[in-house]
């Protein structure tokens, strides 16, 4: 590769912009292959008045990417080519006056835009995606989040093809034009950065509702979808209204315009986008009905609708100074959507699910070659930093602040943050300062969570002295080295803590130096090693620590069989009840893996604990389903120095079989007991029952009794909802035989015209543990249902195979690796952002045996040697090889 390596951008090189944009007027003449964009920018020099000699005025830099420049005028006079310099990244203008009107006309080709950044066409609808740096693909502009302005947008297009013309803010005027065209004009009164700009134009159906805010503002709510999808908007709409109410109640935050629009599009690089008053959604993240969406889809829609809505305050009203501060809006908004979902559903179940996903996505990232801090210090391509670390670890950082400040203190901090920064572009430090100033809590050491990468390890040991009736708890922490960072400082780690007696009751926690003896505490670990001594304890306690996963760390703690039983069966903290069971199963499974897979018979202690949970009607079925789910293969792999995918699979299947045979009657009883004749409802309660029923079905099919498979076949055919159908099909997909092919074929025939369901069908094939999976995946690339231009299809087939099927992706001959490398190179020419998101599984090479290491590195080299790699793919591939 001869092209120069793309350059990195550094946080500490930040400089304030030289110019302010006082207002922006945009006019679009929308044509698929030649859209004209006229922009009028009122510009003012923003330096200090003492620099205001004409000679000193710096040039004005405008970003631009893939634009055809038609004209540039300053104060009405066209510039000639000596007065500006254009290159592939933008335009530099000489400035002669501290205030001037700049007019620019450009032409773009939305139809050729397969990157889905900027203005593009999805199923005939014009739409935009400007975060992070897509606006520069629409017009020349200082495309950085600290340049905020008010927008006036005029849209002109063919009226028959594009009856709906939308942008941000309020519709102020509209009318007809000659030649069958029409126009609309939009004004957004709130200054915003360019990444929140949006336009949509198409022939769309609209579902309408309304919401009255706490202070009495009547807000029109509209969801725009392709014709035929009107019946799939109800759940998204309901989620939106519940989010609006929740944000008022929890944070005192109201909506601020009279209109809130959501548009569903089928080609989209991510989940959804929070453009001011015009959220654009991947159709997968908003459309649902019982026949096509699973319970997991409903839950994800609820969370994503809330997430984008919550951005109106955390992201839009207060935005980021620069992209290094991305977690300022994303970590905080993920935290907010997690809290919302916890309130709508079971908080305990939600927390367990969030921790599972943190461990599945963020911990591996934090321990791999692309590890970076929540606030990165440098990047080549910002698209690559929309990561689990920035989003999910970022949310954990906010959650820890709430833990340290208390709910009330946290709310005070939020209030102060908005009081200080409404309308501004700010930093993570500004957020922490508001939290600290509102409460007096010192967060200086805590802020290392923003700058130090790597998952801290915390080791817990305890010693009970029966004679002295005291218990000494010792905590120590280590922060692993990560690329570019070593020798880290100890972090400030809040650990929720209790000591349980043999009945699971929390004992009073009296520290040697204190009188107070509460039954739970937050232990604040700040040093590398700290000891806490508790007094007046009549029993050897069971240590319940990091309750609710109060800190995102790897905890190492040993339990005796007796204390484990207390924690697993009786801990009032349901997270730790679940966690202790998982740890126990993990230990046993890893032991079996060491022995090549089969290991010994699953111990009665585990079986008994699982039986107790399975039958415990006092517990939420959703929780019981989680507690009975064994740690996944990827999680087990992460606990190993050298991963053995085959042994992991064998060991886990063996344990599943043991459990299934030992608990067959109870499982069958559960399977029947959780059936319901009521019509499908997407409530958390009903979903929990389905989860437990389908968990039982999974074990039953693993019990070795052939007739159990009949249950799955019947369920896959006769269920009235997608959750049950998919659960049964997923089991059948892993089993060779005629039923498998019949059921999958019937499913495809039934849903071939439903793109979102076809994605599920592709993902089922990609996840199959059967040996021929890679060949089938290759075959499906050519299927009528598949296309590389649609990110959902790419993720369903290629993404799921690489990231969700360790057994087949890592097959020993390396064919899975080479397959992925070839697809990444192919896709990079179409959609770099989506291509780059497929690389991560190859980056984990150092965790595998020598032969696989060589094959994985070879696949990465294949990618790196391709011509004209995008910065997106270049950055992650080159980092993955170091
Ligand atoms: N800001 C969006 C969110 O978190 C996600 C986003 C970032 C995005 N970049 C994108 C969405 C590019 C689509 C395409 O909700
Ligand atoms: Zn977001």
């Amino acid at each position: 590769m001869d092209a120069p390596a793309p350059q990195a951008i550094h946080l500490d090189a930040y400089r304030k912009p030289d110019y302010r944009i006082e207002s922006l007027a945009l006019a679009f003449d929308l044509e698929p292959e030649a859209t004209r964009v006229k922009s009028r920018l009122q510009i003012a020099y923003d330096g200090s008045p003492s620099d205001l000699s004409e000679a000193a005025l710096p040039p004005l830099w405008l970003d631009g990417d893939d634009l055809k420049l038609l004209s540039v005028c300053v104060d009405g006079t066209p510039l000639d080519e000596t007065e500006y310099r254009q290159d592939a990244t933008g335009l530099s203008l000489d400035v002669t006056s501290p205030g001037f009107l700049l007019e620019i006309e450009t032409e773009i080709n939305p139809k050729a835009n397969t990157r889905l950044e900027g203005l593009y066409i999805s199923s005939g609808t014009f739409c935009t995606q400007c975060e992070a740096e897509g606006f520069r693909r629409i017009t020349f502009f200082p495309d950085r989040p600290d340049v905020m302005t008010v927008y006036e947008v005029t849209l002109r297009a063919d009226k028959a093809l594009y009856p709906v013309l939308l942008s941000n803010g309020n519709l102020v005027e509209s009318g007809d034009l000659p030649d069958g065209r029409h126009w609309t004009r939009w004004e957004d009164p709130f200054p915003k950065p360019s990444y929140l700009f949006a336009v949509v134009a198409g022939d769309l159906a609209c579902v309408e509702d309304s919401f009255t805010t706490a202070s009495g503002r009547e807000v029109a709510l509209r969801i725009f979808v392709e014709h035929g999808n009107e019946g799939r908007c109800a759940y998204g709409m309901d989620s939106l209204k519940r989010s609006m109410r929740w944000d008022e109640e929890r944070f005192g935050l109201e909506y601020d315009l009279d209109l809130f629009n959501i548009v569903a599009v089928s080609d989209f690089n991510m989940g959804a986008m929070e453009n001011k008053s015009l959220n654009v959604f991947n159709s997968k993240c908003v459309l649902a009905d019982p026949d096509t969406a699973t319970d997991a889809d409903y839950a994800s829609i609820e969370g994503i609708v809330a997430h984008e809505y919550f951005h109106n305050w955390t992201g839009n009203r207060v935005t980021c100074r620069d992209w290094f501060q991305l977690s300022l809006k994303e970590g905080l908004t993920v935290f907010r959507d997690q809290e919302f979902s916890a309130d709508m559903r079971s908080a305990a179940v939600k927390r367990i699910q969030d921790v599972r996903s943190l461990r599945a996505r963020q911990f591996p990232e934090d321990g791999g070659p692309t590890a970076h801090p929540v606030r990165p210090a440098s990047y080549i391509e910002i698209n690559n930093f929309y990561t689990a670390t920035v989003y999910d670890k970022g949310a954990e950082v906010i959650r820890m602040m709430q833990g340290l400040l208390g709910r009330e203190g946290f709310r005070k901090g939020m209030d102060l943050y908005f009081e200080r920064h409404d309308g501004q572009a700010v930093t993570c430090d500004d957020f922490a300062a508001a939290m600290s100033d509102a409460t007096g809590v010192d967060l200086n050491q805590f802020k290392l969570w923003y700058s130090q990468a790597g998952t801290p390890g915390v080791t817990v040991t305890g010693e009970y002295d029966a004679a002295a009736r005291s218990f000494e708890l010792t905590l120590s922490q280590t922060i692993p080295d990560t690329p570019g960072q070593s020798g880290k400082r100890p972090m400030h780690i809040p650990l929720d803590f209790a000591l349980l007696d043999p009945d699971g009751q929390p004992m009073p926690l009296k520290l040697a130096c204190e009188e107070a003896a509460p039954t739970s505490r937050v232990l604040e670990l700040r040093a590398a090693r700290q000891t806490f001594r508790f007094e007046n304890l009549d029993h050897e306690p069971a240590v319940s620590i990091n309750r609710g996963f109060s800190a995102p760390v790897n905890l190492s703690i040993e339990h005796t069989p007796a204390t484990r039983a207390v924690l697993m069966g009786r801990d009032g903290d349901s997270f730790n009840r679940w966690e202790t069971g998982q740890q126990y199963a993990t230990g046993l499974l890893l032991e079996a893996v060491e022995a090549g897979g089969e290991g010994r018979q699953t111990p009665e202690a585990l079986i008994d604990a699982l039986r107790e949970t399975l039958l415990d009607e006092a517990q939420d079925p959703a929780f019981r389903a989680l507690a009975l789910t064994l740690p996944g293969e990827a999680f087990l792999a992460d606990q190993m120095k050298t991963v053995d995918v085959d042994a992991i699979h064998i060991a886990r299947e063996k344990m599943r079989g043991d459990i299934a045979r030992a608990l067959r009657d109870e499982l069958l009883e559960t399977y029947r007991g959780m059936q319901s004749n009521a019509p499908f409802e997407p409530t958390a309660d009903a979903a929990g029952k389905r989860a437990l029923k389908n968990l039982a079905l999974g074990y039953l099919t693993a019990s070795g009794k052939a007739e159990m498979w009949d249950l799955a076949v019947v369920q896959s055919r006769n269920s009235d909802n997608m959750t049950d159908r998919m659960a049964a099909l997923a089991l059948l997909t892993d089993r060779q035989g005629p039923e498998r092919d019949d059921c999958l074929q019937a499913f495809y025939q039934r849903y071939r015209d439903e793109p979102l369901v076809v994605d599920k069908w592709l993902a089922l094939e990609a996840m199959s543990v059967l040996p021929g999976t890679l060949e089938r995946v290759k075959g499906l690339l050519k299927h009528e249902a598949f296309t590389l231009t649609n990110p959902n299809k790419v993720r369903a087939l290629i993404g799921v195979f690489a990231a969700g099927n360790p057994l087949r992706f890592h097959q020993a001959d390396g064919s899975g690796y080479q397959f992925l490398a070839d697809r990444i190179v192919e896709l990079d020419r179409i959609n770099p952002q989506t291509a780059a998101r497929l690389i991560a599984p190859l980056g984990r090479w150092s965790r595998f045996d020598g032969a696989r290491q060589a094959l994985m590195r070879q696949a990465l080299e294949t990618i790196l040697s391709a011509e004209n790699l995008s910065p997106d793919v270049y950055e992650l591939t080159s980092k993955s090889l170091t």
Side-chain angles (χ1 to χ4, degrees), residues 672-794:
R672 300 212 169 102
M674 291 292 135
Q675 300 278 4
S676 154
N677 295 319
F680 177 92
E681 277 203 83
T683 58
D685 263 5
K689 291 191 177 127
R690 282 187 287 274
L692 187 56
K693 175 183 71 182
N694 289 322
L695 171 111
L697 179 63
Y699 275 115
L700 288 168
T701 60
S703 70
K705 285 255 180 206
E707 66 265 27
M708 296 302 167
W709 284 101
D710 300 341
L711 294 176
V713 171
V714 171
Q715 180 172 319
S716 92
R717 296 220 162 106
N718 298 354
S719 307
D720 71 339
N721 67 83
M722 185 54 79
T723 303
D724 288 341
R725 218 174 283 135
M726 276 293 284
L729 268 177
L731 297 167
L732 288 161
T733 310
D734 282 347
R735 187 179 190 239
Q736 201 78 258
E739 297 103 333
R740 173 191 200 278
D741 299 334
D742 290 352
C743 291
L744 280 169
Q745 190 54 29
F747 185 78
Y748 178 70
Q749 287 309 330
R750 176 168 176 181
Y751 291 110
R752 53 187 298 165
D753 297 325
E754 298 293 352
L756 297 178
V757 186
V758 171
D759 293 345
K760 296 184 193 302
W761 175 77
L762 292 169
L764 281 172
E765 289 283 18
M767 262 179 315
S768 171
V769 300
L770 295 181
T773 295
L774 176 56
E775 289 318 307
R776 265 194 308 282
V777 167
K778 285 181 178 169
L780 286 167
L781 291 174
K782 300 188 199 87
H783 194 279
E784 56 166 9
F786 185 80
T787 165
L788 268 185
T789 59
N790 178 268
N792 288 359
K793 296 275 175 280
V794 169

Side-chain angles (χ1 to χ4, degrees), residues 572-601:
D573 180 68
S574 27
F575 175 82
N576 261 6
R577 222 162 46 232
W578 170 80
E579 175 83 333
T580 310
Q582 295 287 304
Q583 265 178 27
Y584 184 24
T586 300
L588 294 167
L589 285 165
L590 292 176
E591 223 175 81
V593 170
E594 289 305 315
E598 283 287 339
R600 56 191 167 102
Q601 188 67 20

Side-chain angles (χ1 to χ4, degrees), residues 274 307-308 311 329-330 333 391:
E274 70 265 24
H307 179 99
E308 305 312 330
H311 268 313
K329 75 177 177 80
E330 295 305 346
T333 305
Y391 275 66

Side-chain angles (χ1 to χ4, degrees), residues 12 55 82 92 195 222 278 469 484 543 583 621 700 730 805 823:
D12 54 19
T82 63
S92 173
Y195 81 86
R222 301 201 175 105
L278 180 52
R469 296 167 61 230
V543 177
Q583 265 178 27
L700 288 168
N805 193 346
R823 300 292 78 72

Side-chain angles (χ1 to χ4, degrees), residues 116 129 131-132 195 268-274 307-308 311 329-330 383 386 391 833:
L116 316 184
Q129 173 55 41
E131 188 176 6
Y195 81 86
F268 204 66
N269 279 343
M270 308 256 260
M273 180 62 213
E274 70 265 24
H307 179 99
E308 305 312 330
H311 268 313
K329 75 177 177 80
E330 295 305 346
N383 281 336
Y386 288 78
Y391 275 66
Q833 194 180 348

Side-chain angles (χ1 to χ4, degrees), residues 375-391:
R375 183 188 54 221
S378 78
Y379 60 77
I380 291 177
E381 170 53 63
I382 185 57
N383 281 336
N384 288 333
F385 286 78
Y386 288 78
T387 59
T389 298
V390 166
Y391 275 66

